[in-house]
Amino acid sequence: MDEEKIEEEEIIFPKELVEEIEQVPEEKHKSIYQQILTMGISQKVQLALKGNKEARGILVKDPNKLVCSAVIKSPKVTEAEALAYAKSRSVSDEVLRLISMKKEWMRSHEVIVALVNNPKTPLALSMQYMLKLSDKEIIDLAKAKGIPAALAAAAKRLILQKTHKKEKKH
């Protein structure tokens, strides 16, 4: 499905999918989820761009890359949401890659740490951002379970290099 066709038809969504709500009651969350399940891809993409935080939180986990990518491209996504998505192990690698491309979010050290520690982040990105971590964070990364072995090994090598440099200075 091409993106031009998706944007042509204007869809009117129910207000519970578009208006921001502070705390969504459990039964309301279920009804939002059920409404989203019945939507086609073009509707989901439009909702991802126009919907509220609750709808975006559901759509960011959609198996279709067009849908989850549209969530990250939405101008409504806040840095706090991006951080939550970066920490989530149930989002796709594409979502994590798109988060890493937004300069304003990548100014946040928390977002960088979340991306590096997420096993779904593409390895090349994790390796690149690992260099921005503090020594303690790198040590924690080297000991972390559930991250790619290559990343843990790189973290261990980095620790050894840093301790070797410190020993040479003394």
Side-chain angles (χ1 to χ4, degrees):
M1 189 165 281
D2 54 24
E3 288 188 38
E4 291 140 32
K5 191 170 185 187
I6 291 170
E7 292 178 24
E8 277 177 20
E9 51 191 85
E10 184 66 30
I11 300 169
I12 307 299
F13 294 106
K15 68 177 183 172
E16 68 265 15
L17 296 179
V18 184
E19 291 176 3
E20 294 296 340
I21 309 160
E22 279 303 309
Q23 200 64 36
V24 179
E26 185 64 32
E27 63 278 354
K28 195 89 154 171
H29 175 78
K30 284 180 183 168
S31 78
I32 291 172
Y33 183 73
Q34 287 164 342
Q35 286 179 53
I36 289 172
L37 281 178
T38 64
M39 292 180 182
I41 294 191
S42 64
Q43 289 177 307
K44 286 181 181 180
V45 168
Q46 280 200 17
L47 182 60
L49 294 168
K50 298 174 184 170
N52 61 19
K53 182 179 177 180
E54 186 73 16
R56 288 192 302 272
I58 293 167
L59 291 169
V60 78
K61 296 171 184 155
D62 196 275
N64 187 301
K65 285 194 176 180
L66 264 179
V67 175
C68 60
S69 298
V71 171
I72 298 302
K73 292 173 184 169
S74 168
K76 292 181 169 187
V77 175
T78 63
E79 185 179 306
E81 282 177 82
L83 176 61
Y85 301 154
K87 287 180 178 178
S88 174
R89 292 171 187 245
S90 58
V91 298
S92 72
D93 58 337
E94 180 68 10
V95 167
L96 299 171
R97 195 181 60 72
L98 288 169
I99 289 171
S100 76
M101 293 169 70
K102 288 254 191 168
K103 285 182 180 149
E104 61 271 21
W105 294 339
M106 294 311 293
R107 287 190 197 112
S108 164
H109 188 72
E110 278 185 291
V111 172
I112 292 170
V113 171
L115 284 174
V116 173
N117 283 293
N118 192 323
K120 286 193 176 175
T121 302
L123 190 58
L125 288 174
S126 294
M127 296 282 207
Q128 177 188 344
Y129 292 122
M130 176 180 65
L131 301 173
K132 295 184 177 195
L133 301 182
S134 70
D135 289 352
K136 188 201 178 314
E137 290 165 337
I138 294 170
I139 290 167
D140 292 345
L141 185 66
K143 295 175 188 172
K145 303 276 185 249
I147 61 165
L151 182 62
K156 288 172 187 162
R157 272 195 311 278
L158 194 57
I159 294 163
L160 287 172
Q161 286 173 352
K162 287 184 176 198
T163 53
H164 188 68
K165 280 182 185 175
K166 284 179 184 173
E167 287 170 3
K168 276 189 170 180
K169 284 183 181 177
H170 292 288

